[in-house]
Amino acid sequence: MGEFKAFDNKIWLSSPTMHGEELEYMTQAYETNWMSTVGANINEVERLACEKIGCGYAVALSSGTAALHMAVKLAGVKPGEKVFCSDMTFDATVNPVVYEGGEPVFIDTEYDTWNMDPAALERAFEIYPGVRVVVLAHLYGTPCRMEEIRAVCDRHHAVIIEDAAESLGASYKGVQTGRLGDINAISFNGNKIITGSAGGMLLTDDGNAAEKVRKWSTQARESAPWYQHEELGYNYRMSNVIAGVVRGQFPHLEEHIDRKKAIYMRYQEGFRDLPVTMNPYDTENSEPNFWLSCMLIHREAMCRQVRSEREALYISEPGKSCPTQILETLEQYNAEGRPIWKPMHMQPIYRMNAFVTREGDGRAVTNAYIDGGVQGADGRPLDVGMDLFDRGLCLPSDNKMTEEQQDIIIEMVKSCFRK
Ligand SMILES: *Cc1c(COP(=O)(O)O)cnc(C)c1O
C-alpha cells in the first residue's frame, strides 16, 4: 500500500553508531575488574573532553541531567528563586531548576537560531530585575546567539548555565559549546552525536566548582576514617564501563559531525523547490554539529492541522502539508521523524510559569494554544516557540542512513505536498 516501499530496516531519527574501540575499552574495564565509578576510562574521557572543548575541568557523571542538576546547585539556586530558561528545548534543560526548588521563567525563541531570543531575555530582566541565573540550550546542535546573550547577562550580573547536551563539537566564533557558559553540561545519551549509552559531564574552568561536583556526585563523603557527611550527596558519578564507550566514541566525533552535516546539506538541496526551510544557524559566526536536521513549513503552505494535548489531526490539501502529515507518512514507510520540542510554556507541567516574549508582558500564558495557530491582533502568531512547534519537524538524521535512503525520504516528504 502506498506510493513507496517501506524500508526493511527502520531509518532512525538518530541512533548510536559504534566503531569497535568502545568494546575494547569496556573489555579493559571488565578484565581488570575496574567495573565501578573509578578507573582509567573515566580519567581519560575527562581529559578528552577538556582537550576537545578547551575547558579547565570536566567531571564525568551518570547523565546530562545530573550535570545540569549539579550546575544549578553550583549556581546556588534557592527555593522560590526565579531562573530564566530556554523555552523551546527538552524538559531536561529546566527540570533541574525545579529539583532545587527554583521557578523557571521561560524566554521565547528567535527565528534565526531557534534558540533563546536575546531581546526577550533583555525584556525579562526589565520585568524581573533580580534574576541571577540563566539556563540556555543550543537546540539541535545549533549555537545560540551567544555574544548578545552574554552582553545581556553581564549587564544584569547573571550567571549562564549552558546546556550543550545536543551540541557537542559545535562552536560559536571559534569557541566550542560547553565552554560558552559559566557552568556547562554535555550529554552522552544514546541518541546524542556521540554516546556512552548514557552519561554526561559538567564542564567548568573553576577548579573548586569541579571539586564540589566530584564530592556531591559521590555521596558527599568528607575526608574522615568513616563515612562522614556534612552536605547532601548524590549518586551521580559515571561508571568506568560507560566511560569506556565514551572513550571509544570520542575519536569519531568529527566524523559523526561531517556525516550529520552532509545529511543536512542533502536535505537542504533536496527541498530546494518546496515551501520549506531547514533549521537555521548563524552562518557567519557559528558552526553547528548538525545533530538533527529539521524543517519548517512556510505558513502559507500549511494544511489544516489540529493538535490537542495528546493527539493530532490534519486535512490534506494539494500544494500544502503539515508536520503531522509528514511524520505519519514517514512512519508508514518505517522512518522515524519527530515534532519539534514542544515549548515548555505549552507543557501542562509548566503552563502556569511565566513566559516572556519580545513584546509580551511576562504574565503566565495559560491555555493559549488552540488549533495550532493562535494569532496576535495583527495576524502574526502569538509567540515564536508556538509557531515553530506548529510548523516544524525533525527529519530522520541517522548517521547510518545511506544517500539512497535519504533521497527516498526526500521524495516521501515531497509527496506530502502533492496530495
Ligand atoms: C539529552 C538532553 C539533555 C539530557 O541529557 P541526558 O544525558 O539524557 O540526561 C538535556 N538537555 C537537552 C537539550 C538534551 O537534548
Side-chain angles (χ1 to χ4, degrees):
M1 208 197 74
E3 192 175 342
F4 302 93
K5 187 176 160 304
F7 293 109
D8 293 333
N9 297 313
K10 185 157 185 160
I11 311 290
W12 299 99
L13 184 77
S14 183
S15 71
T17 304
M18 295 294 122
H19 301 275
E21 295 102 304
E22 299 88 349
L23 190 58
E24 288 170 32
Y25 293 124
M26 285 169 76
T27 307
Q28 265 175 35
Y30 175 86
E31 286 175 347
T32 57
N33 289 308
W34 288 90
M35 295 294 281
S36 170
T37 51
V38 281
N41 289 333
I42 297 176
N43 300 339
E44 183 57 14
V45 292
E46 290 181 346
R47 193 192 66 76
L48 285 167
C50 289
E51 182 182 80
K52 171 66 194 172
I53 296 161
C55 53
Y57 304 89
V59 184
L61 300 171
S62 53
S63 69
T65 309
L68 286 161
H69 185 188
M70 294 292 92
V72 170
K73 250 182 96 83
L74 277 176
V77 171
K78 294 285 174 297
E81 181 176 343
K82 288 186 166 53
V83 174
F84 294 152
C85 298
S86 287
D87 178 54
M88 215 176 64
T89 183
F90 185 36
D91 72 341
T93 306
V94 303
N95 287 345
V97 170
V98 181
Y99 298 167
E100 289 302 303
E103 186 186 317
V105 170
F106 299 109
I107 310 297
D108 199 12
T109 307
E110 56 160 11
Y111 284 109
D112 294 351
T113 64
W114 294 11
N115 286 313
M116 185 184 282
D117 180 354
L121 181 63
E122 179 63 54
R123 263 199 72 88
F125 277 111
E126 286 162 19
I127 301 166
Y128 305 104
V131 169
R132 306 181 303 113
V133 180
V134 175
V135 184
L136 56 82
H138 306 288
L139 210 71
Y140 303 129
T142 298
C144 286
R145 202 182 285 282
M146 203 64 204
E147 204 164 72
E148 284 86 340
I149 288 178
R150 174 57 79 185
V152 173
C153 289
D154 284 353
R155 215 158 33 242
H156 299 279
H157 312 290
V159 163
I160 298 177
I161 295 177
E162 188 195 7
D163 176 358
E166 301 182 358
S167 64
L168 182 59
S171 60
Y172 175 86
K173 295 199 168 174
V175 180
Q176 290 280 309
T177 64
R179 77 163 315 196
L180 294 166
D182 299 294
I183 316 168
N184 315 302
I186 56 176
S187 166
F188 302 108
N189 176 303
N191 68 6
K192 299 300 192 303
I193 191 117
I194 59 169
T195 182
S197 75
M201 267 184 200
L202 181 129
L203 310 175
T204 173
D205 284 337
D206 176 347
N208 287 328
E211 271 322 299
K212 278 187 196 165
V213 173
R214 269 176 219 287
K215 180 180 162 193
W216 293 339
S217 64
T218 50
Q219 308 288 21
R221 265 186 86 178
E222 302 297 334
S223 77
W226 44 79
Y227 277 79
Q228 176 84 2
H229 299 288
E230 295 170 11
E231 288 183 284
L232 191 59
Y234 301 83
N235 182 7
Y236 277 174
R237 197 73 163 123
M238 183 184 278
S239 136
N240 194 45
V241 180
I242 297 283
V245 184
V246 177
R247 186 177 179 183
Q249 287 264 289
F250 243 110
H252 298 280
L253 173 60
E254 293 308 319
E255 171 192 326
H256 285 197
I257 294 173
D258 290 348
R259 183 71 199 108
K260 295 278 192 183
K261 184 173 183 175
I263 290 169
Y264 179 97
M265 295 300 169
R266 198 171 187 88
Y267 277 130
Q268 190 166 55
E269 176 63 21
F271 295 152
R272 222 179 35 231
D273 298 328
L274 289 185
V276 306
T277 47
M278 297 293 292
N279 46 330
Y281 62 98
D282 177 348
T283 49
E284 230 164 87
N285 296 310
S286 72
E287 188 53 48
N289 71 2
F290 300 94
W291 175 54
L292 292 188
S293 287
C294 307
M295 59 181 265
L296 187 69
I297 301 172
H298 295 171
R299 175 57 70 193
E300 64 278 11
M302 281 283 289
C303 66
R304 268 183 61 87
Q305 171 188 249
V306 188
R307 283 168 168 168
S308 71
E309 271 325 323
R310 303 278 182 97
E311 286 170 307
L313 292 170
Y314 69 93
I315 301 170
S316 67
E317 257 184 89
K320 298 186 176 187
S321 190
C322 62
T324 305
Q325 182 179 20
I326 294 170
L327 293 170
E328 286 183 6
T329 301
L330 292 175
E331 193 186 344
Q332 181 191 351
Y333 299 118
N334 209 18
E336 184 187 33
R338 190 160 71 187
I340 298 295
W341 295 126
K342 181 172 176 175
M344 290 301 115
H345 80 277
M346 294 169 69
Q347 300 284 359
I349 180 176
Y350 289 126
R351 195 168 271 165
M352 297 307 285
N353 289 49
F355 169 60
V356 182
T357 65
R358 233 171 227 244
E359 287 149 14
D361 58 7
R363 279 182 310 188
V365 174
T366 51
N367 301 322
Y369 187 64
I370 306 158
D371 191 10
V374 176
Q375 309 270 299
D378 55 0
R380 282 185 311 149
L382 202 60
D383 66 65
V384 178
M386 197 179 263
D387 183 36
L388 293 174
F389 177 62
D390 190 39
R391 298 190 284 129
L393 69 135
C394 306
L395 294 154
S397 306
D398 197 54
N399 278 341
K400 295 171 292 308
M401 171 172 68
T402 65
E403 290 185 347
E404 293 70 30
Q405 288 170 326
Q406 194 183 349
D407 288 343
I408 294 168
I409 286 166
I410 290 169
E411 289 309 315
M412 287 172 181
V413 173
K414 284 184 180 170
S415 78
C416 293
F417 285 88
R418 283 197 298 271
K419 47 183 190 250

